[in-house]
Amino acid sequence: ALAEGYTYVRSTYEGLFAEFLIYVDNTHPHIDPDWKPHPEKKIISFVPLIKEYTVSLAARELKQLRGIATYEDLTWFELAGVVDEVTFENHSPELFRMRADGHVEPTGKLGQGRVTLICGDHSFDVTVTVVE
């Protein structure tokens, strides 16, 4: 790695793809086995793990919307769902339903929609596309 930060890696094969996050941290923090991502630490940013999701009706896919929270001590943690105090505002209920755990369930219509992920005072939008 050339610098601290994060980036997405996408692998594509015959129309299928997988996307994942790589995070580089140069601080080498001490690992505390009792560390918890919340509630004692203040979140200073909450950003998308992935900005665009695609779910397939034919494959009966469920994908979980997730975010990366950075805390005031510059540690970070992946958050998703009610257990992590993340809520979801579904702007496209005609295309999909949102579960409390962050999973997207297509309703049967094809199209592109939007979901807002909210954690404390922080939020961001992601795009969800429902395909055949």
Side-chain angles (χ1 to χ4, degrees):
L2 299 176
E4 187 173 356
Y6 63 90
T7 190
Y8 298 96
V9 174
R10 185 178 194 141
S11 176
T12 304
Y13 178 72
E14 294 184 358
L16 302 174
F17 73 91
E19 187 170 283
F20 57 95
L21 175 72
I22 295 180
Y23 192 90
V24 177
D25 181 2
N26 289 329
T27 60
H28 305 290
H30 171 70
I31 298 174
D32 180 356
D34 296 324
W35 182 80
K36 303 281 188 255
H38 58 74
E40 68 278 358
K41 294 185 178 188
K42 181 181 179 189
I43 294 175
I44 60 170
S45 76
F46 184 53
V47 298
L49 179 64
I50 298 173
K51 295 177 185 177
E52 297 178 5
Y53 294 82
T54 301
V55 292
S56 167
L57 287 173
R60 297 182 163 179
E61 287 183 309
L62 287 177
K63 294 203 177 161
Q64 188 178 42
L65 309 186
R66 304 175 76 77
I68 298 287
T70 301
Y71 298 90
E72 60 189 342
D73 64 358
L74 300 183
T75 57
W76 59 274
F77 204 80
E78 213 176 290
L79 303 179
V82 68
V83 71
D84 290 324
E85 300 175 357
V86 175
T87 58
F88 305 89
E89 186 176 331
N90 182 357
H91 302 283
S92 309
E94 70 282 3
L95 299 176
F96 47 81
R97 289 185 286 279
M98 286 302 307
R99 293 183 179 178
D101 65 0
H103 284 93
V104 178
E105 285 185 280
T107 60
K109 288 181 83 175
L110 305 181
Q112 188 174 75
R114 184 172 56 95
V115 177
T116 302
L117 282 75
I118 305 159
C119 186
D121 296 333
H122 304 276
S123 65
F124 58 83
D125 287 352
V126 297
T127 300
V128 178
T129 303
V130 181
V131 297
E132 187 61 44

